[in-house]
Amino acid sequence: MPVVSAEKLIALQRNADHVRNFCILAHVVSILLARTLPSRPHLIVAVQDHGKTSLSDSLIATNGIISQKSAGKVRYLDSRPDEQLRGITMESSAISLYFSMLRRSSSDEEPHQPEEYLINLIDSPGHIDFSSEVSTASRLCDGALVLVDAVEGVCSQTVTVLRRTWTEHLQPLLVINKMDRLITELKMTPAEAYTHLSKLLEQINAVVGSFFQGERMEEDLKWRERMEERVAAAAAKEAEKANRPHDADDEVNHMPSAFQEKDDEDIYFAPEKNNVIFSSATDGWAFTVRQFAALYEKKLKIKRATLEKILWGDYYLEPKTRRILGQKHLKGRALKPMFVQLVLDNIWAIYDATIGRMDGKGGDPAMATKILTSLSISLPTYVLRSKDARMVLTSIFAAWLPLSTAVLVSAIEFLPSPPAAQAARFPAIIDASPGARFVDPHVREAMTSFRNGKGDPVVAYVSKMVAVPESQLPTSERRAGGMTAEEAREASRRKRAEIARRQALSQPPGAASDVDGLAAAVQDATLHEAGPGPDHEAIDDPEHLIGFARLYSGTLAVGDEVYVLSPKFSPARPEAAHAAARVTITGLYLIMGRSLEPLERVPAGVVFGVAGLAGHLSKSGTLCSQVTGAVNLAGLALEGPPIVRVALEPANPADLDKMVQGLQLLVQSDPAAEYEVLENGEHVIATAGELHLERCLKDLRERFARCEIQAGEPIVPYRETIVATPDMAPARHPDLPRGTVVDVTASKLLTVRLRVRPLPVAVTEFLERHAASIRPLSGRPTAGDGGRPEAGADDEGRHGLGPPDAGPPEAGVAHDDGDEMATAGGRILSRAEFRQGLKDACQTATADREDWDAAMERITAFGPRRVGANVLIDLTPDGVCRRFLPEHQLPSSSADRDADRAHHPAHPLPRDLSDQILYAFQLATAQGPLCHEPMHGVAVFLEDVSLCATPATTDGTRPEPGTDHHDPPPPSHHPAAPLALHHASHHSSHEALKTVRDSIRHGFLDWSPRLLLAMYSCEIQASSEVLGRVYGVLTRRRGRILAESVQEGTPFFTILALLPVAECFGFSDEMRTRTSGAASPQLRFAGFQRPAFVDLDPFWVPTTADEIEDLGRTADRENVAKRYMDRVRTRKGLFVTGRKLVRDAEKQKTLKR
């Protein structure tokens, strides 16, 4: 097929009903990874080595971009060299394809005029390290192709991609790939393959059904809560208006009598519904039930619609009478299911006739000729005589069941067009967006009704920023005639300046002056040197950021001005600083895989590239023609946080600015990468895994920074917690409860009493699940606060810490004033829901349940960073700190505070120190006492804060007023009273901060401290031959086996294990090396846990006589927790107890005679 011109594709964009947008989602399990396809805006989900690359190449070949023979080998959408080298997809990419289809209702009718379609295909990675690319690309699509390996079946990543299609309301199309493995590897008969495929479909539908049941249970709970509220409101109204009881009765009668059940019939995959494709991308064939129904319509004299329903399932064809029988009418006859008899037997016969299947003697040419005659297929003579049996096999299938035809026709028939998809998807997506009830109805109507007129609102979602070299932009393509005179002079000037700079840097002391060096450089430089050589390209080919976007309403043209909305934008507060910026669109592009085609304007429903957003948008965002009432579509949940961090430094210190600028470009163009500068000045990059880190470093060195960069040892996060164990050391204060600390400031003005306790496990898990609900709640004004937000709620900087007087809140932070909003952490709970959930979690506490119930009502803050799983509870009589979830007015009033201040004007009141206490709590929980890692699952009870009117003397007594010559005069008579009061207050504030922070750390150490390790959930698929080697590698890496199961009908085992992240560097390479590539692990972050081998007190030493007798004074067994703790303390430059800095000092002397 000839190459389709870009003008043809651009013309097809105007007909939205003939546009399809889908993406291929992949899951990587084996050594290679499959690729996505370019077609309508739909989504394809697959497993590593599941044929995604071959599938996408086959679709691209239909447009003549690559040849059909090279499909699966070129990997066209893998444009990066490391993608080609590794055989996996690392970045999502898109391409637009043309497809023409003839329609006819039956085989006897003449086809209608050909219908032309535009297929926008997005290729997404399948490796777990690049799952963020899948998350960001899924919202651009209307459907998804979900690829599942016919042998490996449902894996953990398969569940992940199915959940992504469910949450994004995408229409999925299942592709069961690698059907050839059932024939060539497992040697299954057609009947066995049919049974295997039936069980595989049941497993996939069970996963989808679990999503539906979870959603149904949540809706049922909400319905019951609404019913209870209405009944309570009706009862209250009846009691208030006893003389008009009919009003309440009318209200109750209008309530629905039962919960409205949803029909789940359309959510499951079934071949008779034509939403399942059976394929072998390697051999280039695919089919659906509808295709074979059309083939057998005339022969069996059964209507096509009827055949589509009975070709799959327990239906049997009686050979003599050609009657269709159900299973109950077999009456003992050994008949094959129709799917086996009419479909699988024919495919198995082709494999037997070409490559041989059972006896291993090769194919049967006579049988192959007979099959070609029966199928009315003619192949060239050189193909039939070829000794390459695989070539004959692929040629037969390409003529009979071409892969591209089955996939594209199914995508057009089953996946929705942009208008239909937006009408079905976007009401729920808009309702789940931040500040949904403040979205302009005009904007909502334009998106759901697919308005694309000139006056309609423009709404587009930018999923990510793509870095493109300037030489690859359409506007900078070199002309055939070469550079103009102006371009040549400019290039020569830049070359001379670069030569002069290099000579100045390498010039030794006493050499010629800079002017002489520059003059020499000008004389030596020639126009030829300024040409496009390799060094010139490295300097003069900067990276430009292009937005990867989808337009949902309106029409966007070059030169239009739109607002860029960050992920923190909320229509409830559109005036928030830096939440929206007005930009001018400088370029629009049609994305064609490895190239870009310029566009003048883009209609709604199209995936495109947009220029002009650099510096205004980081990672993802929303484009809208208005800021008031705009919708935020960028609140997407990533599959996992970046967990692997390394410190970077340039090999040449002079390249530090280059590295910082390169890191900023990298963070903008990578959805999962994060960059921060630590307090010690280290530049740290956080990535999703080892492979992701390797790709980021390669891009940083070769594209963004263009300098040599050195990476340090990986930085693994830990958490510090406390537990109660029988062998704990005695409490520091035997007369006080464990964890209680009473401390006095250095000036003896302030006394603080607090108690540190472990949080109940259920409460800690609740706070972890609903961390996204805490920050918006902490920023809302509450009763009793005088309309002021929670103290400390917005005084933290970028890293979550900042002094109490740090100024305004973080730029761009917008809190929703509604009851619900959606963020990256999911649906945010209202204040009432959060309070009730916290109470329910406290009910599971095994001890002191009543105390915990009462304490939850007096929570003041969460930490660290205001959203962690640690709580500060104010138990002081007067309520020093404001409550986080107050139900009533605080007991004291501002009048009482003013009266107390007038009585003691020289010193601050305890409540005046609330900001310092809150900030000290944030500091203490952000840096625990073990190794300055964040605390986890700790409750701090503030029991008392008292102030002394005068400082104590050295003997502990307090002088009488006026008797001591140091006693100052009353403040009102002192000439410097205001300044003295300010210094006294300032001094007391800083003393309070330090005292509270140290007291929390001392109370923490009064318990038995523990380190929580970041853990990976590991899934490995391996055969029985390498199972022992897999266990050996897991044991050496301190892994814990959770489960082992055999995949029925296959020789493969699925192993589930937990591994510490600290032990996982190089784990995948070792596993592949030890098993010769037969096993490859899938690692997914599973949170922070306390495995058995590290469930020790880092400070444990033998104390009892039995321990000393068994283990010795220093203990023969290694304290693994202490080793991890010392490793972190060494990296941070903290003191390490017991470490020898010098060994064998006498051997280090240098003696001279």
Side-chain angles (χ1 to χ4, degrees):
M1 179 179 178
V3 179
V4 180
S5 63
E7 290 75 12
K8 181 70 172 178
L9 298 175
I10 295 173
L12 292 175
Q13 292 180 347
R14 303 186 185 96
N15 187 0
D17 291 331
H18 283 201
V19 175
R20 298 293 184 272
N21 302 304
F22 65 85
C23 117
I24 306 176
L25 305 183
H27 134 205
V28 181
V29 191
S30 305
I31 300 175
L32 299 179
L33 179 66
R35 200 92 55 246
T36 26
L37 306 176
S39 195
R40 310 182 156 198
H42 303 284
L43 175 71
I44 301 181
V45 183
V47 182
Q48 164 181 345
D49 198 25
H50 283 189
K52 196 160 62 75
T53 302
S54 302
L55 178 60
S56 60
D57 282 357
S58 297
L59 299 185
I60 296 173
T62 61
N63 280 226
I65 299 175
I66 60 176
S67 66
Q68 192 66 48
K69 293 182 180 180
S70 60
K73 303 175 184 178
V74 176
R75 300 197 297 272
Y76 183 79
L77 293 180
D78 288 347
S79 56
R80 296 171 55 95
D82 48 356
E83 288 180 325
Q84 293 284 340
L85 181 63
R86 290 180 175 270
I88 64 174
T89 303
M90 298 183 182
E91 290 183 348
S92 58
S93 56
I95 192 170
S96 297
L97 300 179
Y98 166 85
F99 187 71
S100 178
M101 185 174 67
L102 294 173
R103 291 182 182 271
R104 53 185 176 185
S105 56
S106 65
S107 57
D108 297 332
E109 295 184 1
E110 291 295 327
H112 303 291
Q113 287 294 113
E115 297 181 354
E116 298 177 332
Y117 290 87
L118 175 66
I119 308 293
N120 294 322
L121 171 72
I122 299 177
D123 176 21
S124 63
H127 197 281
I128 186 64
D129 282 8
F130 310 108
S131 59
S132 58
E133 297 274 352
V134 178
S135 303
T136 55
S138 58
R139 185 155 290 186
L140 303 180
C141 306
D142 301 322
L145 290 181
V146 183
L147 266 68
V148 177
D149 194 303
V151 175
E152 295 174 351
V154 178
C155 306
S156 60
Q157 272 293 90
T158 309
V159 178
T160 300
V161 295
L162 285 172
R163 182 181 292 110
R164 172 57 56 185
T165 62
W166 179 269
T167 55
E168 286 296 320
H169 307 282
L170 299 176
Q171 185 71 40
L173 183 60
L174 180 64
V175 179
I176 300 179
N177 198 25
K178 295 296 188 70
M179 290 281 292
D180 58 290
R181 295 183 64 187
L182 302 178
I183 306 173
T184 58
E185 291 184 20
L186 301 184
K187 308 295 183 181
M188 288 185 176
T189 63
E192 294 172 343
Y194 172 72
T195 303
H196 178 79
L197 293 174
S198 300
K199 293 180 179 179
L200 177 58
L201 272 176
E202 290 177 1
Q203 295 174 3
I204 298 173
N205 287 329
V207 173
V208 178
S210 66
F211 301 154
F212 175 79
Q213 289 297 328
E215 189 176 271
R216 188 263 178 205
M217 292 176 63
E218 183 177 357
E219 292 177 353
D220 180 63
L221 179 61
K222 292 180 180 179
W223 177 84
R224 293 179 183 274
E225 292 176 352
R226 289 196 300 267
M227 292 301 100
E228 292 175 358
E229 292 176 358
R230 291 183 183 180
V231 170
K237 189 174 182 181
E238 183 178 2
E240 181 181 356
K241 301 180 179 180
N243 56 342
R244 296 173 56 189
H246 58 278
D247 295 341
D249 294 340
D250 292 342
E251 185 175 351
V252 175
N253 291 336
H254 284 90
M255 299 179 188
S257 58
F259 177 71
Q260 301 296 324
E261 294 284 355
K262 288 185 178 179
D263 186 11
D264 62 342
E265 182 181 357
D266 296 333
I267 68 173
Y268 298 111
F269 297 105
E272 61 269 20
K273 296 179 181 178
N274 294 299
N275 59 359
V276 178
I277 301 174
F278 303 92
S279 71
S280 171
T282 302
D283 295 336
W285 59 267
F287 68 87
T288 62
V289 168
R290 175 174 293 182
Q291 285 180 267
F292 276 92
L295 292 175
Y296 288 105
E297 181 181 8
K298 284 185 177 180
K299 187 175 182 179
L300 299 178
K301 298 181 180 180
I302 301 175
K303 293 183 179 180
R304 183 188 303 179
T306 304
L307 272 178
E308 291 177 5
K309 296 179 181 179
I310 62 177
L311 265 181
W312 176 270
D314 295 330
Y315 297 98
Y316 304 86
L317 177 65
E318 192 174 21
K320 295 181 179 180
T321 61
R322 292 190 177 183
R323 293 173 52 201
I324 307 299
L325 304 177
Q327 189 172 13
K328 60 182 180 180
H329 297 100
L330 288 180
K331 298 179 181 181
R333 286 175 290 184
L335 297 181
K336 298 179 180 179
M338 292 184 63
F339 189 78
V340 175
Q341 182 179 357
L342 301 181
V343 179
L344 296 185
D345 280 349
N346 296 325
I347 295 176
W348 260 244
I350 294 177
Y351 275 89
D352 288 339
T354 52
I355 63 176
R357 180 175 59 89
M358 301 300 294
D359 51 11
K361 297 181 180 179
D364 185 355
M367 178 65 71
T369 303
K370 184 178 179 180
I371 292 175
L372 291 174
T373 303
S374 63
L375 295 177
S376 301
I377 297 175
S378 65
L379 295 180
T381 305
Y382 74 92
V383 174
L384 295 175
R385 295 179 179 178
S386 175
K387 295 182 179 180
D388 186 1
R390 179 71 59 177
M391 179 179 178
V392 179
L393 174 72
T394 55
S395 298
I396 294 175
F397 277 120
W400 183 38
L401 300 173
L403 173 68
S404 58
T405 301
V407 173
L408 293 180
V409 170
S410 298
I412 292 173
E413 295 289 343
F414 186 75
L415 299 180
S417 63
Q422 290 184 204
R425 295 176 59 205
F426 270 82
I429 292 178
I430 296 175
D431 291 339
S433 65
R437 63 191 183 95
F438 295 95
V439 175
D440 189 347
H442 189 41
V443 174
R444 180 188 294 266
E445 173 67 18
M447 296 179 66
T448 56
S449 302
F450 199 77
R451 308 293 186 189
N452 55 3
K454 291 185 178 180
D456 294 313
V458 174
V459 180
Y461 170 63
V462 182
S463 67
K464 67 172 185 174
M465 302 294 288
V466 182
V468 180
E470 185 177 287
S471 59
Q472 296 184 11
L473 293 178
T475 56
S476 62
E477 293 179 352
R478 301 188 182 278
R479 292 171 293 276
M483 293 187 296
T484 64
E486 292 274 345
E487 293 173 342
R489 283 192 291 269
E490 179 63 20
S492 179
R493 184 192 65 78
R494 290 197 300 267
K495 186 65 176 179
R496 290 195 300 269
E498 177 63 20
I499 294 174
R501 187 186 67 83
R502 292 185 178 181
Q503 289 183 349
L505 291 176
S506 61
Q507 183 173 295
S513 64
D514 295 340
V515 178
D516 295 339
L518 180 61
V522 171
Q523 292 178 357
D524 295 339
T526 62
L527 183 62
H528 175 73
E529 291 176 334
D535 189 56
H536 176 79
E537 292 295 336
I539 298 172
D540 299 324
D541 193 14
E543 300 281 342
H544 292 265
L545 294 177
I546 303 298
F548 189 27
R550 159 82 182 269
L551 189 63
Y552 294 107
S553 66
T555 302
L556 191 63
V558 176
D560 288 353
E561 291 187 351
V562 295
Y563 288 97
V564 178
L565 312 180
S566 70
K568 297 179 179 179
F569 172 83
S570 174
R573 295 185 180 180
E575 71 283 354
H578 307 292
R582 192 173 183 86
V583 300
T584 302
I585 302 301
T586 59
L588 298 172
Y589 304 101
L590 175 67
I591 302 176
M592 293 296 295
R594 304 182 181 185
S595 62
L596 300 174
E597 297 292 338
L599 299 173
E600 291 296 328
R601 62 180 59 251
V602 172
V606 173
V607 178
F608 63 99
V610 55
L613 308 180
H616 302 280
L617 183 65
S618 177
K619 298 185 184 296
S620 63
T622 308
L623 304 182
C624 193
S625 56
Q626 64 186 60
V627 67
T628 303
V631 61
N632 181 9
L633 300 175
L636 282 175
L638 299 182
E639 294 300 333
I643 195 67
V644 179
R645 304 193 304 165
V646 294
L648 306 179
E649 63 178 4
N652 182 4
D655 294 332
L656 180 61
D657 290 340
K658 286 185 178 180
M659 187 189 76
V660 173
Q661 294 175 3
L663 282 170
Q664 293 172 351
L665 282 174
L666 174 66
V667 170
Q668 292 184 62
S669 61
D670 195 307
E674 295 181 0
Y675 162 61
E676 63 176 331
V677 181
L678 301 183
E679 295 179 355
N680 58 3
E682 285 185 312
H683 298 266
V684 174
I685 182 174
T687 59
E690 271 191 284
L691 187 58
H692 186 210
L693 173 63
E694 183 178 340
R695 191 200 74 178
C696 290
L697 292 178
K698 180 179 178 64
D699 287 346
L700 197 59
R701 294 184 179 116
E702 299 179 1
R703 299 178 58 189
F704 300 126
R706 294 182 180 179
C707 63
E708 186 58 33
I709 294 176
Q710 298 175 350
E713 292 294 325
I715 302 173
V716 179
Y718 296 87
R719 294 294 183 266
E720 302 179 16
T721 189
I722 52 178
V723 295
T725 59
D727 57 347
M728 286 189 299
R732 296 189 178 185
H733 303 284
D735 53 336
L736 296 175
R738 182 178 291 273
T740 302
V741 179
V742 181
D743 203 355
V744 184
T745 60
S747 64
K748 311 298 182 182
L749 290 175
L750 181 66
T751 302
V752 177
R753 173 174 172 149
L754 55 83
R755 185 185 179 192
V756 178
R757 295 181 60 183
L759 265 180
V761 177
V763 176
T764 303
E765 294 175 350
F766 175 82
L767 296 179
E768 285 181 321
R769 289 195 306 268
H770 301 286
S773 302
I774 301 176
R775 188 183 297 273
L777 292 176
S778 66
R780 298 179 186 176
T782 59
D785 291 343
R788 199 164 66 91
E790 176 77 25
D794 291 320
D795 57 6
E796 295 173 2
R798 177 187 176 194
H799 303 290
L801 296 175
D805 54 352
E810 181 182 357
V813 175
H815 300 299
D816 182 20
D817 289 337
D819 290 334
E820 297 179 0
M821 62 183 285
T823 64
R827 187 181 72 89
I828 285 186
L829 303 180
S830 66
R831 187 178 297 274
E833 291 173 335
F834 186 84
R835 184 191 295 112
Q836 185 60 42
L838 204 56
K839 288 183 179 180
D840 295 340
C842 292
Q843 294 297 322
T844 61
T846 56
D848 302 332
R849 182 179 303 174
E850 294 77 8
D851 295 342
W852 283 110
D853 288 342
M856 291 299 106
E857 293 293 335
R858 303 178 69 91
I859 290 179
T860 294
F862 298 86
R865 304 184 69 176
R866 310 194 313 266
V867 294
N870 306 286
V871 296
L872 175 63
I873 301 170
D874 183 10
L875 298 182
T876 56
D878 297 332
V880 172
C881 302
R882 300 175 183 86
R883 299 182 185 179
F884 185 84
L885 300 171
E887 289 184 335
H888 307 287
Q889 201 83 357
L890 290 178
S892 58
S893 63
S894 58
D896 297 334
R897 183 186 303 186
D898 295 339
D900 292 340
R901 185 178 289 110
H903 189 262
H904 299 289
H907 305 289
L909 296 173
R911 189 170 299 168
D912 294 332
L913 301 174
S914 61
D915 288 347
Q916 282 70 28
I917 294 174
L918 292 173
Y919 180 54
F921 170 74
Q922 300 294 337
L923 280 177
T925 54
Q927 294 183 344
L930 298 184
C931 50
H932 284 195
E933 290 292 313
M935 293 184 184
H936 184 83
V938 176
V940 178
F941 294 83
L942 186 65
E943 297 181 347
D944 185 53
V945 178
S946 59
L947 283 170
C948 301
T950 55
T953 59
T954 56
D955 58 355
T957 62
R958 302 186 184 276
E960 294 293 332
T963 60
D964 188 43
H965 64 281
H966 294 292
D967 189 29
S972 57
H973 301 287
H974 200 282
L979 183 61
L981 289 176
H982 172 75
H983 286 304
S985 176
H986 184 73
H987 185 65
S988 300
S989 299
H990 283 267
E991 282 190 340
L993 191 151
K994 181 178 182 299
T995 302
V996 174
R997 182 197 63 185
D998 294 344
S999 298
I1000 295 175
R1001 291 178 176 176
H1002 292 158
F1004 182 96
L1005 294 176
D1006 206 13
W1007 296 84
S1008 183
R1010 293 290 189 272
L1011 273 182
L1012 297 181
L1013 272 60
M1015 302 295 290
Y1016 272 139
S1017 173
C1018 177
E1019 179 180 343
I1020 304 174
Q1021 288 188 344
S1023 60
S1024 57
E1025 290 82 3
V1026 298
L1027 208 56
R1029 301 175 188 175
V1030 171
Y1031 284 152
V1033 176
L1034 288 173
T1035 303
R1036 282 193 297 273
R1037 297 283 180 161
R1038 298 185 180 274
R1040 180 166 63 94
I1041 307 299
L1042 299 180
E1044 174 191 318
S1045 59
V1046 182
Q1047 296 185 17
E1048 187 176 355
T1050 70
F1052 296 103
F1053 287 79
T1054 299
I1055 304 167
L1056 297 179
L1058 278 178
L1059 272 83
V1061 175
E1063 304 290 344
C1064 285
F1065 299 103
F1067 171 71
S1068 299
D1069 293 337
E1070 182 183 0
M1071 180 65 71
R1072 283 190 288 266
T1073 302
R1074 296 285 297 174
T1075 61
S1076 301
S1080 182
Q1082 285 289 301
L1083 300 176
R1084 179 183 298 277
F1085 181 62
F1088 293 89
Q1089 301 181 24
R1090 193 172 73 244
F1093 69 88
V1094 81
D1095 193 10
L1096 296 171
D1097 187 340
F1099 303 109
W1100 178 86
V1101 291
T1103 54
T1104 65
D1106 293 340
E1107 291 176 347
I1108 294 175
E1109 182 179 355
D1110 294 340
L1111 303 174
R1113 284 288 180 184
T1114 58
D1116 295 335
R1117 64 174 180 176
E1118 181 189 19
N1119 190 333
V1120 182
K1122 186 178 187 305
R1123 176 161 63 85
Y1124 283 133
M1125 183 186 72
D1126 291 347
R1127 183 187 302 173
V1128 178
R1129 293 185 69 89
T1130 301
R1131 178 177 58 81
K1132 294 184 176 182
L1134 304 175
F1135 176 73
V1136 178
T1137 305
R1139 183 179 60 172
K1140 292 183 178 181
L1141 299 179
V1142 178
R1143 291 185 179 180
D1144 301 326
E1146 67 279 358
K1147 296 183 180 180
Q1148 299 179 17
K1149 296 180 180 179
T1150 303
L1151 301 178
K1152 294 183 179 179
R1153 296 185 180 275

